[in-house]
Amino acid sequence: MDTYFTEYENLEVHELMLKDRPRQEAYCNAILKNKDLFKDKVVLDVGAGTGILSAFCAKAGARLVYAVEASNLATKVALDLFDENNLTGIVKVIHSKIEEFALPANAEKVDIIVSEWMGFYLLHEGMLDSVLFARDHFLKPDGLIFPSECTIYVAPCSVPALFDYWQNIDGVSMERFASKLRLQKSTRPEITYLKPADLLHEGIVFHWMSLLDVDAKELDEISFKEVVSTQVAGKHQGFCIWFDVRFPCEEEPVTLSTSPLAPKTHWKQCVVVLPKENCEVLEENSPVAFQILMKRSASGARKYNLEVELLDPNVEEHPVPCSCHMTKCILTKAHLISMDTS
Amino acid sequence: MDTYFTEYENLEVHELMLKDRPRQEAYCNAILKNKDLFKDKVVLDVGAGTGILSAFCAKAGARLVYAVEASNLATKVALDLFDENNLTGIVKVIHSKIEEFALPANAEKVDIIVSEWMGFYLLHEGMLDSVLFARDHFLKPDGLIFPSECTIYVAPCSVPALFDYWQNIDGVSMERFASKLRLQKSTRPEITYLKPADLLHEGIVFHWMSLLDVDAKELDEISFKEVVSTQVAGKHQGFCIWFDVRFPCEEEPVTLSTSPLAPKTHWKQCVVVLPKENCEVLEENSPVAFQILMKRSASGARKYNLEVELLDPNVEEHPVPCSCHMTKCILTKAHLISMDTS
């Protein structure tokens, strides 16, 4: 068993997730407010953990739920949970990796896959590949996946906790300490909470996918290049990355968002911090050109490296229209408006 | 170098402490609002870390500050901090354990020792022994220690996050998970934030000491036995332990408190959780009899084991007067009141 699974045997990891109210409420609402979708259906829970999502599905009316869990939580926790909630008649616990799981002989494929697989900045230390494996092997052609869509966002931002805070700690300047702290942290993205006011832009979509048709291969490397125009003035000290996932609900849609504007989740946000020499005080409507590369790490498919490169907004092509203050964009925008009104 | 010191080379540990506002404000106020105490004095900072307390002392008017730090922060961070703040003429950085430090030949002893040495529940993973060593070897007979007094408190409490929360997670009962979670956590006290409403008593003093005269030997084992009477009704699920430290100020006293009623610090509170079979719903004025033993661990002098034993309030002697609802205490109290008014 690799360490990815043994880490999940620490119940405090699950305590953290089960106390993450936005996470819990999103899954609970998506499943229990859509009982029509679950009634008499067969469900596969990929990476069932403590079993709570399988329990939601059973309570929503599913006829049969396969709770597949690779860690020993399957036998040590999930089995007990279904017994405690009188759901053993509906939920079948399978202690297995999904890649080694097989449906019973002659069993039909499943109607619905549910999974809470998301990692930091969506993909890092997540288990999307396992969900896609399950989709390809066990889901009926017209089956549903909970959640069904994911979006990753990026925005230029300030990072006061790593820069401004250290200028004056009760009268003492700690700029050099802060610089060493940033250097120590620079080997990996910072997982932290940003405030809405730290964002210089509401966020643009960096990647979108539907779990119904995305291919695991497409996740090997995701790259994105853009010029965004700041919506407020502020210190540009990094890029904030977050995600949301949406559930295929019949009535009101359910979204679980990890944005700085949404209630806090245990995923926090992911911040790529700029070297101090690249930090800049920007006015509103300043163009920020950058490229992001999110790439599977050679050290393990579940890990992703994240690279952000600042580009020169004088050289890069801007979107059309672009609301930045560069002359060519002001002229283009004016031209488009005049065409629109003529 | 033992791992205690190398852990402190992780700058994120210091980031956490430097962002602990109650900690920072207490030291800053104690030192900088008492410049009369520091003017032209010689100060020894035991375990100087990033050097911020030494910087406060220098700014408060000290003539000379020895910043003694055993980890490589001494050379990698503290030196730079004093340079950045133009204090190198006042602060001398010494990369050494305090136990291997010696004052320069013919140098006078120091007037003041400052140190932020406190660990969880005051003593666990702290470095009070080093401060007492410094006191015994380097402090003038009438010298001051910042802080100078410490008090440890204990109170019976509820622990909703480990008990009640799990009765109903969005309609699913997770009592058995909670029981396994408590078992996993039972090998060590839980370091967590309690709410004021979780306390069944405002807290009684479990141990008090003055750093001017306490002997390190007295810290090998601290035991305490008491009967407390609950001040509010509630679920008795554990004991909450916290501490405060006081500074020897001339004017308004400065206290750094880690109580559930004080602003949050990185020390949080320490909770010893009761086995579920010993948990009880208590009315106001119920007697809770217990014994606490805080003992140096055999695995290392900086670590402390904490044991709490519930005792039988029918057997144990109650304080006089006691406000609990047991007949003998009600009678004793009535008798004392009648004597007082006669």
Side-chain angles (χ1 to χ4, degrees), chain B residues 29-287:
Chain B
N29 287 336
I31 297 169
L32 284 154
K33 291 192 173 168
N34 286 285
K35 291 187 178 168
D36 288 352
L37 295 178
F38 284 85
K39 185 151 176 42
D40 299 326
K41 295 294 164 61
V42 179
V43 179
L44 170 60
D45 181 356
V46 180
T50 58
I52 189 146
L53 300 189
S54 292
F56 288 163
C57 297
K59 282 171 173 279
R63 174 164 54 89
L64 170 64
V65 181
Y66 299 106
V68 179
E69 170 58 38
S71 82
N72 73 13
L73 251 71
T75 49
K76 291 207 175 154
V77 174
L79 266 182
D80 260 357
L81 180 94
F82 303 126
D83 186 45
E84 182 177 341
N85 290 274
N86 299 314
L87 300 171
T88 47
I90 301 169
V91 187
K92 236 177 110 102
V93 174
I94 297 108
H95 184 182
S96 166
K97 291 186 188 184
I98 194 74
E99 292 79 3
E100 293 163 6
F101 167 70
L103 288 168
N106 304 319
E108 58 179 342
K109 287 194 165 184
V110 307
D111 301 290
I112 301 177
I113 288 175
V114 300
S115 184
E116 197 281 77
W117 53 268
M118 296 85 77
F120 294 112
Y121 45 97
L122 191 67
L123 295 175
H124 184 65
E125 294 179 352
M127 46 166 208
L128 180 52
D129 290 345
S130 295
V131 175
L132 301 183
F133 179 93
R135 175 199 67 190
D136 295 342
H137 290 79
F138 310 119
L139 187 66
K140 285 184 186 167
D142 57 348
L144 297 176
I145 308 184
F146 278 67
S148 53
E149 286 179 30
C150 339
T151 310
I152 314 181
Y153 301 84
V154 60
C157 66
S158 301
V159 195
L162 282 179
F163 288 92
D164 312 348
Y165 183 77
W166 305 99
Q167 287 163 7
N168 182 341
I169 306 270
D170 307 300
V172 177
S173 167
M174 297 195 73
E175 300 263 22
R176 296 193 209 168
F177 171 81
S179 150
K180 291 184 190 101
L181 180 65
R182 290 191 299 266
L183 184 68
Q184 182 183 304
K185 291 177 181 234
S186 67
T187 52
R188 54 164 193 268
E190 174 84 347
I191 303 298
T192 188
Y193 293 112
L194 283 193
K195 293 194 171 69
D198 297 332
L199 295 182
L200 304 186
H201 186 279
E202 66 193 350
I204 53 169
V205 173
F206 145 39
H207 190 73
W208 175 90
M209 61 183 138
S210 160
L211 295 200
L212 284 173
D213 58 23
V214 68
D215 188 292
K217 270 279 161 215
E218 293 169 37
L219 305 173
D220 289 346
E221 191 174 315
I222 297 171
S223 77
F224 179 72
K225 191 164 125 173
E226 185 63 292
V227 179
V228 294
S229 177
T230 57
Q231 291 167 329
V232 290
K235 296 178 183 170
H236 183 208
Q237 298 164 327
F239 289 89
C240 179
I241 296 169
W242 69 90
F243 65 89
D244 65 30
V245 299
R246 277 162 232 202
F247 295 85
C249 304
E250 294 216 297
E251 315 231 320
E252 49 174 324
V254 172
T255 299
L256 168 56
S257 169
T258 67
S259 157
L261 284 75
K264 287 179 177 180
T265 73
H266 79 281
W267 286 282
K268 305 184 182 177
Q269 286 89 41
C270 167
V271 178
V272 177
V273 177
L274 290 178
K276 193 170 185 186
E277 60 272 22
N278 292 328
C279 292
E280 256 190 302
V281 177
L282 297 180
E283 293 172 11
E284 195 184 325
N285 297 330
S286 297

